[in-house]
Amino acid sequence: MFNKILIANRGEIACRIIKTAKKMGVLTVAVYSDADKDSLHVHIADEAIYIGPSPSRESYLLGDNVIAAAIKTGAQAIHPGYGFLSENADFCRACSAKNITFIGPPVGAIEAMGSKSAAKNIMAKANVPLVPGYHGDDQSSAILKQAADDMGYPVLLKATAGGGGKGMRQVWSEQEFAEGLAAAKREAMSSFGDDTMLVEKYLTQPRHVEIQVFCDNHKNAVYLFERDCSVQRRHQKVIEEAPAFGMNEELRAEMGESAIKSAQAIGYQGAGTVEFLLDVDGSFYFMEMNTRLQVEHPVTEMISGQDLVEWQLRVAAGEILPKTQQQLVLNGHAFEARIYAEDANNDFLPATGKLSLLQTPIESEHVRIDTGVRQGDEVSVYYDPMIAKLIVWDENRDKALKRLSKALSEYRINGVTTNIDFLYNLATSKPFIEEDIDTGFIEKNHDLIFHDNAQELLNELPIAALYLLLSIKEKALQNAQQSNDPHSPWHNTNAWRLNEAHAHSLVLAHNDTEYTVEVEQLCQSKGQGSDAHYLINIDGKQFDCQGTLTSTSSQNDGMIVNINGHRSQTTISFDDENISLYRANGVFNFTHILPDYGQLDNDDSHGGLTAPMNGTMVSVLVKAGQQVSKDQPLVIMEAMKMEHTIKAPNDGTIDEVFFQAGDMVDGGSELLSFTELTKE
Ligand code: ADP
């Protein structure tokens, strides 16, 4: 075993690897950029070496700097984590030239999986099932169309050099073919400089099921079951689970054997993942092989009881695999939710900021949190804005899913916008619970996940209002108990000192819509434990509401409510003016609008016109001197496989544009200078 390894990565995965190395008695060296000098991974490693400025292409992507750090510290091996240099064949080669072990597959395996059509040819030879299709050299339109006609529509046109869903077009009929082909070729040419196309049968309801494989240098290979990663937004995984639901032993073994065949076809060593599309009829087709540790590997660890990073170190050190196929046992069910700093309601735009509050669910044998940040840390523009991976385990899917929604409701993050509500809504949605899942899940269930249903909101509003009333009452009661004169009328909360006794109104907002809630108190409760009773009127609709606050844990409040005779329980988080109700059908957020706080202009400027992340400029939609109106799209950037539109924060004029299409942009760079129209 190695004495010392270097981790060429940052964030949660660097911390994750360091943890296992420590457990194995292996010393660790971290590397860091300017932005990361106080990061968690730097603090927990035995040593840390500075490798350059914050943008990753000036630090984490510079193989030479990383190798120099390994030489300087005497690290015998480098673990690349995922992303950055993990699938870079040149880096892998450079490591071996310096006699440093690359903890990953051999160079040849990385290279073999580089091109879609080359990978398909290798897999076809190894008898691994491929989606029916054409991936030949003859690229004439007639040949491509003939292939599509022969396999039947719909078909998917894919750029062989493609990635990130670019250069891909669905074609639903013979009539659409010519136009689809032209569009796919155009996009492929502009994105990859190569418009060679594949034609594949388009599966309309596939699942993404991937197999974790492991191979050693002694010809042993095993599969550690499968993961279902069908829930994706624009081809990025959101919630993953293991095992895949609805699998039977035969299919599992068949897919597992196929994955091993794929790995062996390219002389694989170490941890790898073979991704398949699984069709409704149980047929499965090779998609690609990822030659590294995957983000979602923890769900496999939870159901197999194995530490995959430990396996990686052992294999890289020349040991044999710790278990044989027969010794591996699948136990229970696990989910992973990726907690991101991003605005799910704004096209998943990455968010940045300081994590002013970071309270996590309590870790246990059921709840695991892999993270690289602490309270007070900054989510910067430079790197992937993932805050943590929340992993839960239980003996079956149903129980594990309940753990997932509970843990999500216990997360408290202030300072940056997160996707926790989105994840909670997804995890509690009926089709997700009922396993009605394929890769189109988010698009198909958009309304359920984003809760734009006015009727549903109206049902939740009285609950939020009731909570507010009870918590104000509770606070007044506590104040009274702490004061010298507990019977003072100033601690009385029943009438709110308005002219009209026992009646008042509250204003609650959801997104930008305000709702006036008229409240009439029917009976005065005598403190905690007894039900307070109110009549609540919203938009002419009356609700008879009773409620009791039940528990006040450090994370959440609980409340039992009875609305028009329907009794239910709710978990609530409340900070300042924001109320989140964690309901069985999702999370509902409201803001309590305080009447006398003066005019707070709710247009709090959108943080200027800087790049919200590292990326590439896709198009610039405005020119210097141009007048623009609020929310007008100004530029489109692409980062992490997704396009993000930057809009005008207000009416105004563009003074200067600093980038053009195709430019690489560092997060935080000024994109445009802009003068707001001053209002008289
Ligand atoms: P990229 O490398 O551009 O991400 P992939 O070939 O990996 O492209 O496919 C990305 C996603 O597109 C898959 O996860 C799947 O959801 C969908 N997809 C790919 N091929 C097909 C197909 N033949 N039928 C249906 N969906 C597909």
Side-chain angles (χ1 to χ4, degrees):
M1 184 46 61
F2 313 107
N3 293 324
K4 194 189 267 188
I5 63 168
L6 180 142
I7 296 101
N9 216 301
R10 63 176 303 283
E12 70 85 17
I13 192 62
C15 296
R16 157 78 195 84
I17 295 163
I18 292 170
K19 240 183 223 169
T20 289
K22 273 188 194 259
K23 186 184 79 182
M24 296 172 71
V26 175
L27 294 170
T28 53
V29 182
V31 289
Y32 66 95
S33 66
D34 284 324
D36 276 339
K37 63 180 189 310
D38 289 319
S39 289
L40 190 60
H41 77 282
V42 172
H43 279 253
I44 64 172
D46 296 297
E47 291 168 73
I49 301 285
Y50 171 77
I51 51 163
S54 305
S56 38
R57 66 197 145 82
E58 295 173 39
S59 47
Y60 296 105
L61 285 171
L62 290 181
D64 289 348
N65 292 16
V66 171
I67 289 173
I71 293 169
K72 184 172 171 181
T73 52
Q76 299 141 311
I78 295 181
H79 195 309
Y82 53 71
F84 294 142
L85 298 163
S86 61
E87 288 172 295
N88 182 322
D90 289 338
F91 177 69
C92 181
R93 221 177 265 116
C95 286
S96 65
K98 298 284 180 200
N99 268 330
I100 297 170
T101 305
F102 176 79
I103 303 177
V107 177
I110 298 178
E111 281 173 337
M113 293 296 105
S115 146
K116 277 190 204 301
S117 46
K120 276 182 186 264
N121 285 329
I122 295 172
M123 294 308 155
K125 278 203 198 102
N127 285 326
V128 175
L130 300 177
V131 185
Y134 171 82
H135 43 276
D137 292 335
D138 190 339
Q139 287 286 308
S140 72
S141 306
I143 290 282
L144 294 173
K145 176 154 182 305
Q146 192 58 52
D149 291 349
D150 289 349
M151 72 185 79
Y153 293 88
V155 298
L156 187 64
L157 297 169
K158 272 190 196 177
T160 52
K166 282 267 171 63
M168 251 172 26
R169 273 286 181 298
Q170 297 161 16
V171 178
W172 290 84
S173 67
E174 200 182 329
Q175 292 71 32
E176 286 175 19
F177 188 87
E179 198 187 323
L181 179 64
K185 276 179 172 281
R186 247 192 336 265
E187 199 172 296
M189 189 46 96
S190 77
S191 300
F192 316 109
D194 176 353
D195 64 0
T196 315
M197 286 287 144
L198 304 171
V199 189
E200 269 181 13
K201 178 85 196 142
Y202 179 66
L203 311 179
T204 49
Q205 284 180 289
R207 287 163 62 192
H208 173 122
V209 175
E210 58 183 37
I211 310 287
Q212 176 71 58
V213 292
F214 242 101
C215 307
D216 64 18
N217 321 347
H218 309 276
K219 302 208 174 345
N220 300 305
V222 296
Y223 59 91
L224 290 101
F225 319 115
E226 75 284 348
R227 299 184 282 259
D228 189 311
C229 313
S230 300
V231 179
Q232 301 178 2
R233 51 159 172 88
R234 299 204 228 156
H235 308 311
Q236 281 199 305
K237 296 162 184 167
V238 175
I239 294 185
E240 302 98 340
E241 59 182 294
F245 53 84
M247 283 294 266
N248 57 46
E249 282 311 318
E250 294 78 59
L251 183 56
R252 172 168 295 132
E254 214 186 317
M255 291 183 82
E257 296 300 335
S258 261
I260 288 181
K261 252 195 296 189
S262 313
Q264 286 173 334
I266 56 170
Y268 208 76
Q269 284 163 24
T273 295
V274 183
E275 297 188 335
F276 291 105
L277 284 175
L278 176 62
D279 207 355
V280 273
D281 65 358
S283 317
F284 60 91
Y285 307 102
F286 173 86
M287 211 167 17
E288 65 177 339
M289 177 162 186
N290 290 322
T291 54
R292 56 175 156 79
L293 190 68
Q294 301 266 97
V295 176
E296 60 274 21
H297 76 275
V299 288
T300 299
E301 297 187 322
M302 299 299 268
I303 60 155
S304 66
Q306 305 303 311
D307 179 333
L308 299 192
V309 174
E310 179 178 338
W311 281 46
Q312 284 191 297
L313 297 194
R314 293 198 182 286
V315 168
E319 296 182 20
I320 58 164
L321 291 178
K323 298 263 182 219
T324 63
Q325 194 67 57
Q326 289 67 36
Q327 289 169 329
L328 285 165
V329 182
L330 193 166
N331 177 27
H333 203 100
F335 285 95
E336 174 185 278
R338 300 188 186 193
I339 298 186
Y340 267 95
E342 66 181 14
D343 187 356
N345 293 315
N346 187 6
D347 227 3
F348 301 98
L349 187 75
T352 55
K354 190 177 171 152
L355 296 161
S356 56
L357 175 75
L358 177 59
Q359 241 177 52
T360 68
I362 294 163
E363 289 196 69
S364 67
E365 57 169 328
H366 293 286
V367 178
R368 162 175 166 182
I369 295 162
D370 282 14
T371 187
V373 292
R374 301 149 296 188
Q375 182 165 298
D377 283 354
E378 194 86 22
V379 178
S380 79
V381 293
Y382 298 108
Y383 314 110
D384 180 315
M386 187 160 73
I387 297 171
K389 302 187 307 205
L390 169 65
I391 305 115
V392 297
W393 177 92
D394 212 317
E395 57 194 26
N396 59 41
R397 187 177 192 269
D398 210 27
K399 288 186 178 175
L401 193 48
K402 288 204 172 81
R403 294 220 179 252
L404 179 64
S405 47
K406 179 164 183 290
L408 284 166
S409 80
E410 288 171 352
Y411 242 108
R412 291 284 164 277
I413 298 178
N414 288 350
V416 291
T417 310
T418 74
N419 66 342
I420 294 176
D421 290 356
F422 164 75
L423 294 170
Y424 183 89
N425 289 344
L426 213 159
T428 52
S429 70
K430 198 159 169 270
F432 191 80
I433 295 169
E434 292 178 354
E435 303 172 355
D436 183 7
I437 299 172
D438 60 54
T439 55
F441 184 86
I442 292 178
E443 291 79 32
K444 270 183 224 162
N445 297 293
H446 184 276
D447 292 351
L448 259 185
I449 300 169
F450 288 90
H451 284 307
D452 286 336
N453 182 325
Q455 186 52 48
E456 209 176 19
L457 260 189
L458 197 60
N459 291 337
E460 304 301 327
L461 258 169
I463 300 174
L466 185 62
Y467 173 74
L468 205 55
L469 293 164
L470 294 180
S471 61
I472 291 168
K473 180 188 291 292
E474 176 82 7
K475 207 171 254 169
L477 212 81
Q478 281 168 5
N479 288 345
Q481 278 159 1
Q482 282 160 10
S483 82
N484 298 331
D485 178 12
H487 303 294
S488 157
W490 294 105
H491 301 309
N492 197 348
T493 57
N494 61 334
W496 287 39
R497 293 175 288 282
L498 289 180
N499 296 337
E500 199 182 339
H502 298 267
H504 55 275
S505 67
L506 301 168
V507 180
L508 288 172
H510 174 80
N511 291 341
D512 290 331
T513 313
E514 292 188 3
Y515 300 86
T516 302
V517 181
E518 307 287 346
V519 182
E520 189 185 335
Q521 183 162 347
L522 294 182
C523 87
Q524 164 75 351
S525 72
K526 296 173 192 63
Q528 201 173 13
S530 57
D531 278 10
H533 194 176
Y534 300 91
L535 269 187
I536 288 180
N537 209 306
I538 304 163
D539 276 351
K541 216 177 154 191
Q542 201 161 67
F543 302 86
D544 186 319
C545 306
Q546 281 176 275
T548 314
L549 292 181
T550 48
S551 66
T552 318
S553 72
S554 62
Q555 318 273 46
N556 280 325
D557 276 358
M559 184 171 72
I560 295 172
V561 290
N562 188 326
I563 308 248
N564 293 343
H566 185 168
R567 190 181 145 96
S568 62
Q569 293 208 7
T570 299
T571 299
I572 303 123
S573 87
F574 180 45
D575 68 82
D576 301 331
E577 297 111 54
N578 302 310
I579 304 166
S580 301
L581 305 180
Y582 292 90
R583 306 279 290 158
N585 51 335
V587 57
F588 295 85
N589 297 314
F590 298 97
T591 310
H592 180 204
I593 309 286
L594 298 164
D596 296 322
Y597 276 25
Q599 189 44 43
L600 267 181
D601 190 353
N602 61 9
D603 199 353
D604 53 350
S605 124
H606 289 44
L609 297 173
T610 50
M613 67 258 154
N614 282 349
T616 311
M617 185 62 78
V618 176
S619 54
V620 177
L621 308 168
V622 291
K623 291 198 284 283
Q626 187 174 333
Q627 300 232 330
V628 293
S629 45
K630 183 172 185 310
D631 291 334
Q632 180 175 335
L634 304 177
V635 299
I636 301 174
M637 281 186 67
E638 188 207 291
M640 297 170 59
K641 302 187 184 179
M642 300 203 320
E643 289 191 351
H644 302 283
T645 305
I646 317 287
K647 297 178 180 163
N650 251 317
D651 294 350
T653 312
I654 304 297
D655 300 319
E656 210 177 334
V657 182
F658 301 113
F659 291 92
Q660 52 189 13
D663 286 351
M664 297 277 286
V665 182
D666 288 334
S669 318
E670 198 176 0
L671 299 171
L672 307 136
S673 61
F674 172 80
T675 308
E676 270 185 29
L677 197 68
T678 42
K679 291 188 195 112
E680 291 309 314

